[in-house]
Amino acid sequence: QVQLVESGGRLVQAGGSLSLSCAASGRTVSTYAMGWFRQAPGKERELVAGISGNAVTTVYTDSVKGRFTISRGNAKNTVYLQMNSLKPEDTAVYYCAARPFVGVVRSTTMYSYWGQGTQVTVSS
């Protein structure tokens, strides 16, 4: 019954910025840990950033640390990914995901619910 709806993906030039949003609905989804993942053609899906259900803990993959920021709205049912200093290698389909636990983890298989994905393309 948990649904995740992503928005914000588009074409952007290298060095630019972009914000992604994930609107989550469900009985207790506001307490779930959530994450942003991405998958480029021919590559495995990887965690980009994650945030705990109480929004006090965040994790990032090394390649985006210092450039990307994950956050939750006050109601905890919306998750954002602010992306700055974008690089062509950031090009991928970005997915929002959730797991029915407070703690955030890095493994893709630990997340139960997924959005449809939104395309981010960074041009040179």
Side-chain angles (χ1 to χ4, degrees), residues 2-49:
V2 173
Q3 293 187 338
L4 307 175
V5 180
E6 302 158 335
S7 62
R10 65 175 180 88
L11 173 67
V12 63
Q13 293 183 358
S17 298
L18 188 63
S19 294
L20 304 181
S21 298
C22 175
S25 61
R27 186 178 298 274
T28 55
V29 70
S30 62
T31 68
Y32 292 1
M34 301 184 71
W36 285 98
F37 295 78
R38 67 186 180 188
Q39 187 166 24
K43 298 182 179 179
E44 293 186 355
R45 186 171 50 195
E46 65 170 349
L47 175 79
V48 178

Side-chain angles (χ1 to χ4, degrees), residues 25-97:
S25 61
R27 186 178 298 274
T28 55
V29 70
S30 62
T31 68
Y32 292 1
M34 301 184 71
W36 285 98
F37 295 78
R38 67 186 180 188
Q39 187 166 24
K43 298 182 179 179
E44 293 186 355
R45 186 171 50 195
E46 65 170 349
L47 175 79
V48 178
I51 188 166
S52 61
N54 56 13
V56 302
T57 302
T58 58
V59 295
Y60 298 90
T61 190
D62 288 343
S63 64
V64 309
K65 201 162 189 176
R67 299 189 296 123
F68 292 8
T69 303
I70 189 171
S71 62
R72 302 184 78 136
N74 290 334
K76 304 296 188 293
N77 61 346
T78 304
V79 181
Y80 306 95
L81 184 67
Q82 177 64 48
M83 303 184 290
N84 299 324
S85 302
L86 283 162
K87 304 174 180 179
E89 51 262 45
D90 294 320
T91 295
V93 177
Y94 283 69
Y95 298 91
C96 179

